[in-house]
Amino acid sequence: MKMNANSVRHLRQLEYLEKISLSQPNFCLWVFRFLLSMIEFSTFFFRNSDHGYEKAKKASHDCLKRLGMDYVDLLLIHHPDAGGRTKEENNRLRLETWRAMEEFLEQGKAKAIGVSNYTINHLEALLPHCKHIPAVNQVELHPLLTQTDLHDYCKKHNIQLEAYSSLGKGKLVSNKVVTEMASKYNKSPSQLLLRYGIERDIVVIPKSSNADRMKENISIFDFQISNADMTTLNSLNSNWHCTWDPTDTL
């Protein structure tokens, strides 16, 4: 892998987090998943305008050139909206994009490929045509949007669910149930919400460039949320999206 200044900055962050994981060996697996989720430089998203076989191939190669790298760790379709006018056209474009991604994977230019914001319907249209199933489905997920059916479907098909917007874009950190429960565990609301994903075997991807906040975000492996409290958090579900809702995407 070719390295640039941005790569080095992230690797220094990884070295710091790795020291923490070594002091907590029982949590190495989760720390490893957590670290992978924080390597922003090695994840590339296809934009909606990149859908289609030729466009996806070009976008993949352009990505490596811009990053100055030989491969990316994770290549993702950002959204199921491929810009088609009909469901059939959208599905055709998504399948073409996936074929280009599979070739990129087989060439060693991506270590893993996946999707983002895919619903069960989108996955059902994709999986029968896959040589390689998606390693990841990255979606909005938090106690107000538990995504239980999607989570069960992904587990059944060995697709790792990965949560973004775990704090509900800040709305959940002031939720009374969350703040009172966080106090009970002597943790911040943010730590409780990140741990909520971990308890469900979901990768969480908090974003921060602040060293103190990064340290806070990684300090979620020294406690567990009880089954009763997980039930309480799940009961907050209202299918509320703080970002976009891909449900009606053709």
Side-chain angles (χ1 to χ4, degrees), residues 78-131:
H78 192 208
H79 196 279
D81 184 359
R85 298 178 182 177
T86 65
K87 179 178 180 179
E88 290 73 22
E89 186 178 3
N90 262 333
N91 191 48
R92 176 182 61 79
L93 288 168
R94 286 193 293 262
L95 292 177
E96 286 184 8
T97 302
W98 191 255
R99 180 161 61 92
M101 292 171 67
E102 288 181 322
E103 290 180 4
F104 215 58
L105 177 71
E106 291 167 355
Q107 293 165 5
K109 295 178 180 179
K111 296 302 180 183
I113 55 177
V115 296
S116 182
N117 299 300
Y118 267 44
T119 65
I120 292 175
N121 288 338
H122 299 129
L123 290 170
E124 286 180 336
L126 173 64
L127 293 187
H129 305 279
C130 287
K131 290 169 61 180

Side-chain angles (χ1 to χ4, degrees), residues 110-155:
K111 296 302 180 183
I113 55 177
V115 296
S116 182
N117 299 300
Y118 267 44
T119 65
I120 292 175
N121 288 338
H122 299 129
L123 290 170
E124 286 180 336
L126 173 64
L127 293 187
H129 305 279
C130 287
K131 290 169 61 180
H132 305 279
I133 66 168
V136 169
N137 184 16
Q138 186 184 109
V139 298
E140 179 185 341
L141 190 149
H142 44 69
L144 295 179
L145 183 64
T146 56
Q147 302 268 30
T148 303
D149 290 343
L150 179 61
H151 189 204
D152 289 342
Y153 182 90
C154 286
K155 285 194 293 186

Side-chain angles (χ1 to χ4, degrees), residues 2-228:
K2 295 180 181 179
M3 304 298 292
N4 56 27
N6 195 42
S7 305
V8 172
R9 178 171 63 84
H10 284 279
L11 286 176
R12 284 174 179 164
Q13 293 170 358
L14 284 177
E15 289 169 358
Y16 167 73
L17 295 173
E18 186 178 13
K19 291 177 182 177
I20 297 176
S21 71
L22 290 175
S23 68
Q24 301 182 48
N26 291 336
F27 302 111
C28 278
L29 175 60
W30 281 115
V31 171
F32 178 68
R33 289 180 176 178
F34 189 91
L35 295 179
L36 285 181
S37 73
M38 294 186 72
I39 310 175
E40 295 176 83
F41 73 89
S42 65
T43 302
F44 174 70
F45 290 90
F46 282 115
R47 300 167 298 180
N48 294 10
S49 59
D50 292 329
H51 275 288
Y53 179 73
E54 294 298 336
K55 287 183 177 180
K57 281 182 64 176
K58 183 179 185 303
S60 300
H61 289 289
D62 288 349
C63 161
L64 292 183
K65 185 176 180 180
R66 286 198 308 273
L67 294 175
M69 298 168 64
D70 300 317
Y71 67 86
V72 291
D73 291 291
L74 180 60
L75 187 62
L76 293 177
I77 295 176
H78 192 208
H79 196 279
D81 184 359
R85 298 178 182 177
T86 65
K87 179 178 180 179
E88 290 73 22
E89 186 178 3
N90 262 333
N91 191 48
R92 176 182 61 79
L93 288 168
R94 286 193 293 262
L95 292 177
E96 286 184 8
T97 302
W98 191 255
R99 180 161 61 92
M101 292 171 67
E102 288 181 322
E103 290 180 4
F104 215 58
L105 177 71
E106 291 167 355
Q107 293 165 5
K109 295 178 180 179
K111 296 302 180 183
I113 55 177
V115 296
S116 182
N117 299 300
Y118 267 44
T119 65
I120 292 175
N121 288 338
H122 299 129
L123 290 170
E124 286 180 336
L126 173 64
L127 293 187
H129 305 279
C130 287
K131 290 169 61 180
H132 305 279
I133 66 168
V136 169
N137 184 16
Q138 186 184 109
V139 298
E140 179 185 341
L141 190 149
H142 44 69
L144 295 179
L145 183 64
T146 56
Q147 302 268 30
T148 303
D149 290 343
L150 179 61
H151 189 204
D152 289 342
Y153 182 90
C154 286
K155 285 194 293 186
K156 178 181 177 181
H157 294 278
N158 296 314
I159 300 170
Q160 177 63 56
L161 206 61
E162 184 173 274
Y164 67 79
S165 295
S166 296
L167 312 185
K169 286 199 170 179
K171 180 175 180 177
L172 274 162
V173 297
S174 59
N175 179 283
K176 184 178 180 181
V177 172
V178 172
T179 57
E180 290 181 355
M181 191 178 295
S183 179
K184 168 183 172 181
Y185 290 100
N186 196 29
K187 291 291 181 178
S188 70
S190 297
Q191 288 172 317
L192 182 80
L193 292 166
L194 294 175
R195 183 69 204 187
Y196 167 81
I198 298 298
E199 296 287 358
R200 295 182 60 196
D201 294 332
I202 294 167
V203 173
V204 293
I205 48 173
K207 292 183 179 181
S208 181
S209 59
N210 180 282
D212 290 336
R213 188 57 56 83
M214 290 175 64
K215 184 177 180 180
E216 177 184 334
N217 287 344
I218 197 66
S219 299
I220 58 173
F221 300 102
D222 56 353
F223 78 108
Q224 292 180 302
I225 302 174
S226 71
N227 290 337

